[in-house]
Short mmCIF file of all heavy atoms in Angstrom, two decimals:
data_model
loop_
_atom_site.label_atom_id
_atom_site.label_comp_id
_atom_site.label_asym_id
_atom_site.label_seq_id
_atom_site.Cartn_x
_atom_site.Cartn_y
_atom_site.Cartn_z
N ASP A 132 11.15 -13.25 12.50
CA ASP A 132 10.16 -13.13 13.57
C ASP A 132 8.77 -12.91 12.99
O ASP A 132 8.60 -12.25 11.97
CB ASP A 132 10.53 -11.96 14.48
CG ASP A 132 9.76 -11.98 15.79
OD1 ASP A 132 8.59 -11.55 15.78
OD2 ASP A 132 10.32 -12.43 16.81
N ARG A 133 7.77 -13.45 13.67
CA ARG A 133 6.39 -13.31 13.20
C ARG A 133 5.98 -11.86 13.00
O ARG A 133 5.26 -11.53 12.06
CB ARG A 133 5.42 -13.97 14.19
CG ARG A 133 5.64 -15.44 14.42
CD ARG A 133 4.53 -15.99 15.32
NE ARG A 133 4.96 -17.20 15.99
CZ ARG A 133 4.16 -18.00 16.67
NH1 ARG A 133 2.87 -17.70 16.77
NH2 ARG A 133 4.61 -19.08 17.26
N LYS A 134 6.41 -11.00 13.90
CA LYS A 134 5.97 -9.60 13.83
C LYS A 134 6.56 -8.87 12.63
O LYS A 134 6.10 -7.77 12.27
CB LYS A 134 6.36 -8.87 15.12
CG LYS A 134 7.84 -8.62 15.32
CD LYS A 134 8.09 -7.83 16.60
CE LYS A 134 9.57 -7.45 16.78
NZ LYS A 134 10.44 -8.64 16.89
N ASP A 135 7.56 -9.47 11.97
CA ASP A 135 8.20 -8.81 10.83
C ASP A 135 7.57 -9.18 9.49
O ASP A 135 8.00 -8.68 8.44
CB ASP A 135 9.70 -9.17 10.80
CG ASP A 135 10.45 -8.56 11.98
OD1 ASP A 135 10.04 -7.48 12.45
OD2 ASP A 135 11.43 -9.18 12.44
N ILE A 136 6.57 -10.04 9.50
CA ILE A 136 5.85 -10.35 8.26
C ILE A 136 4.81 -9.27 8.02
O ILE A 136 3.94 -9.04 8.86
CB ILE A 136 5.16 -11.74 8.34
CG1 ILE A 136 6.20 -12.85 8.55
CG2 ILE A 136 4.36 -12.00 7.07
CD1 ILE A 136 7.18 -13.02 7.41
N ASN A 137 4.90 -8.59 6.87
CA ASN A 137 4.01 -7.47 6.57
C ASN A 137 2.81 -7.86 5.71
O ASN A 137 1.78 -7.19 5.74
CB ASN A 137 4.77 -6.36 5.82
CG ASN A 137 6.13 -6.09 6.40
OD1 ASN A 137 7.13 -6.34 5.74
ND2 ASN A 137 6.18 -5.58 7.63
N TYR A 138 2.97 -8.92 4.92
CA TYR A 138 1.90 -9.28 3.98
C TYR A 138 1.93 -10.78 3.74
O TYR A 138 3.00 -11.40 3.72
CB TYR A 138 2.11 -8.55 2.64
CG TYR A 138 0.86 -8.44 1.79
CD1 TYR A 138 -0.16 -7.56 2.13
CD2 TYR A 138 0.69 -9.21 0.65
CE1 TYR A 138 -1.31 -7.45 1.36
CE2 TYR A 138 -0.45 -9.12 -0.13
CZ TYR A 138 -1.45 -8.23 0.22
OH TYR A 138 -2.58 -8.13 -0.54
N VAL A 139 0.74 -11.36 3.57
CA VAL A 139 0.60 -12.79 3.31
C VAL A 139 -0.18 -12.96 2.00
O VAL A 139 -1.25 -12.36 1.83
CB VAL A 139 -0.13 -13.52 4.45
CG1 VAL A 139 -0.30 -15.01 4.12
CG2 VAL A 139 0.62 -13.35 5.77
N ILE A 140 0.36 -13.78 1.10
CA ILE A 140 -0.36 -14.14 -0.13
C ILE A 140 -0.65 -15.62 -0.06
O ILE A 140 0.28 -16.44 -0.01
CB ILE A 140 0.46 -13.82 -1.39
CG1 ILE A 140 0.79 -12.32 -1.45
CG2 ILE A 140 -0.30 -14.24 -2.64
CD1 ILE A 140 1.68 -11.95 -2.63
N GLU A 141 -1.92 -15.99 -0.03
CA GLU A 141 -2.32 -17.39 0.05
C GLU A 141 -2.71 -17.86 -1.35
O GLU A 141 -3.44 -17.19 -2.07
CB GLU A 141 -3.50 -17.53 1.02
CG GLU A 141 -3.69 -18.93 1.58
CD GLU A 141 -4.51 -19.82 0.67
OE1 GLU A 141 -5.18 -19.30 -0.24
OE2 GLU A 141 -4.51 -21.05 0.87
N CYS A 142 -2.18 -19.02 -1.76
CA CYS A 142 -2.32 -19.44 -3.16
C CYS A 142 -2.69 -20.90 -3.32
O CYS A 142 -2.21 -21.59 -4.22
CB CYS A 142 -1.03 -19.13 -3.93
SG CYS A 142 0.47 -19.82 -3.20
N SER A 143 -3.56 -21.39 -2.43
CA SER A 143 -4.00 -22.77 -2.53
C SER A 143 -5.03 -22.93 -3.65
O SER A 143 -5.36 -21.98 -4.36
CB SER A 143 -4.61 -23.23 -1.20
OG SER A 143 -5.84 -22.58 -0.98
N GLU A 144 -5.59 -24.13 -3.77
CA GLU A 144 -6.59 -24.39 -4.80
C GLU A 144 -8.01 -24.22 -4.30
O GLU A 144 -8.98 -24.43 -5.05
CB GLU A 144 -6.40 -25.80 -5.38
CG GLU A 144 -5.11 -25.94 -6.17
CD GLU A 144 -5.00 -27.27 -6.88
OE1 GLU A 144 -4.88 -28.30 -6.18
OE2 GLU A 144 -5.04 -27.29 -8.11
N GLU A 145 -8.17 -23.86 -3.03
CA GLU A 145 -9.50 -23.70 -2.47
C GLU A 145 -9.89 -22.22 -2.39
O GLU A 145 -9.04 -21.34 -2.44
CB GLU A 145 -9.55 -24.31 -1.06
CG GLU A 145 -9.11 -25.75 -0.99
CD GLU A 145 -9.93 -26.68 -1.87
OE1 GLU A 145 -11.01 -26.29 -2.33
OE2 GLU A 145 -9.48 -27.81 -2.10
N ALA A 146 -11.18 -21.97 -2.28
CA ALA A 146 -11.67 -20.61 -2.10
C ALA A 146 -12.73 -20.61 -1.01
O ALA A 146 -13.49 -21.57 -0.86
CB ALA A 146 -12.27 -20.08 -3.40
N ALA A 147 -12.79 -19.52 -0.25
CA ALA A 147 -13.75 -19.40 0.84
C ALA A 147 -14.71 -18.26 0.55
O ALA A 147 -14.31 -17.21 0.04
CB ALA A 147 -13.02 -19.15 2.16
N GLY A 148 -15.98 -18.47 0.86
CA GLY A 148 -16.96 -17.42 0.64
C GLY A 148 -18.36 -17.93 0.85
O GLY A 148 -18.57 -19.12 1.11
N ASP A 149 -19.35 -17.03 0.70
CA ASP A 149 -20.74 -17.43 0.86
C ASP A 149 -21.53 -17.09 -0.39
O ASP A 149 -20.95 -16.73 -1.43
CB ASP A 149 -21.36 -16.78 2.10
CG ASP A 149 -21.33 -15.26 2.06
OD1 ASP A 149 -21.19 -14.68 0.95
OD2 ASP A 149 -21.44 -14.64 3.13
N ILE A 150 -22.84 -17.18 -0.32
CA ILE A 150 -23.68 -16.98 -1.50
C ILE A 150 -23.55 -15.57 -2.06
O ILE A 150 -23.77 -15.33 -3.25
CB ILE A 150 -25.15 -17.30 -1.15
CG1 ILE A 150 -25.98 -17.45 -2.42
CG2 ILE A 150 -25.74 -16.24 -0.22
CD1 ILE A 150 -27.37 -18.01 -2.17
N ASN A 151 -23.17 -14.61 -1.23
CA ASN A 151 -23.03 -13.24 -1.68
C ASN A 151 -21.66 -12.96 -2.30
O ASN A 151 -21.54 -12.05 -3.12
CB ASN A 151 -23.25 -12.28 -0.50
CG ASN A 151 -24.65 -12.38 0.04
OD1 ASN A 151 -25.62 -12.16 -0.68
ND2 ASN A 151 -24.77 -12.74 1.32
N GLN A 152 -20.66 -13.72 -1.88
CA GLN A 152 -19.30 -13.55 -2.42
C GLN A 152 -18.62 -14.90 -2.49
O GLN A 152 -17.75 -15.23 -1.68
CB GLN A 152 -18.48 -12.61 -1.53
CG GLN A 152 -18.76 -11.15 -1.77
CD GLN A 152 -17.71 -10.28 -1.09
OE1 GLN A 152 -17.30 -10.52 0.03
NE2 GLN A 152 -17.25 -9.26 -1.80
N ARG A 153 -18.99 -15.69 -3.45
CA ARG A 153 -18.37 -17.01 -3.61
C ARG A 153 -16.89 -16.83 -3.95
O ARG A 153 -16.54 -16.23 -4.96
CB ARG A 153 -19.08 -17.80 -4.71
CG ARG A 153 -20.48 -18.24 -4.32
CD ARG A 153 -21.15 -19.02 -5.41
NE ARG A 153 -21.49 -18.15 -6.54
CZ ARG A 153 -22.05 -18.57 -7.67
NH1 ARG A 153 -22.31 -19.84 -7.83
NH2 ARG A 153 -22.34 -17.73 -8.63
N GLY A 154 -16.03 -17.36 -3.11
CA GLY A 154 -14.60 -17.22 -3.34
C GLY A 154 -14.05 -15.89 -2.90
O GLY A 154 -12.88 -15.60 -3.12
N GLY A 155 -14.87 -15.09 -2.24
CA GLY A 155 -14.42 -13.75 -1.84
C GLY A 155 -13.72 -13.69 -0.50
O GLY A 155 -13.26 -12.64 -0.07
N GLY A 156 -13.63 -14.84 0.18
CA GLY A 156 -13.01 -14.86 1.50
C GLY A 156 -11.51 -14.64 1.45
O GLY A 156 -10.88 -14.68 0.39
N ASN A 157 -10.91 -14.41 2.59
CA ASN A 157 -9.48 -14.11 2.67
C ASN A 157 -8.80 -15.15 3.56
O ASN A 157 -8.68 -14.97 4.77
CB ASN A 157 -9.29 -12.70 3.23
CG ASN A 157 -7.87 -12.20 3.03
OD1 ASN A 157 -6.91 -12.96 3.13
ND2 ASN A 157 -7.74 -10.91 2.77
N ILE A 158 -8.38 -16.26 2.95
CA ILE A 158 -7.71 -17.31 3.71
C ILE A 158 -6.35 -16.83 4.20
O ILE A 158 -5.88 -17.23 5.27
CB ILE A 158 -7.58 -18.59 2.86
CG1 ILE A 158 -8.97 -19.10 2.46
CG2 ILE A 158 -6.84 -19.68 3.63
CD1 ILE A 158 -8.96 -20.34 1.59
N ALA A 159 -5.73 -15.93 3.45
CA ALA A 159 -4.41 -15.40 3.84
C ALA A 159 -4.46 -14.76 5.22
O ALA A 159 -3.63 -15.06 6.09
CB ALA A 159 -3.92 -14.40 2.79
N LYS A 160 -5.42 -13.89 5.44
CA LYS A 160 -5.48 -13.19 6.73
C LYS A 160 -5.91 -14.13 7.84
O LYS A 160 -5.51 -13.96 8.99
CB LYS A 160 -6.44 -12.00 6.63
CG LYS A 160 -5.86 -10.83 5.84
CD LYS A 160 -6.71 -9.59 5.91
CE LYS A 160 -6.56 -8.88 7.24
NZ LYS A 160 -7.26 -7.57 7.25
#
């Protein structure tokens, strides 16, 4: 069930972020 997932680890080749934190985004969440 969806509610039973406690943690997500995202491991793609892309990164999300802006000029202050390049790659600092959290695609997993």
Side-chain angles (χ1 to χ4, degrees):
D132 194 280
R133 300 185 203 191
K134 70 177 185 298
D135 293 329
I136 299 296
N137 317 114
Y138 200 74
V139 179
I140 301 176
E141 201 275 344
C142 54
S143 70
E144 292 187 292
E145 306 301 345
D149 59 20
I150 195 170
N151 297 301
Q152 279 192 318
R153 289 180 291 177
N157 194 324
I158 299 178
K160 287 188 76 173

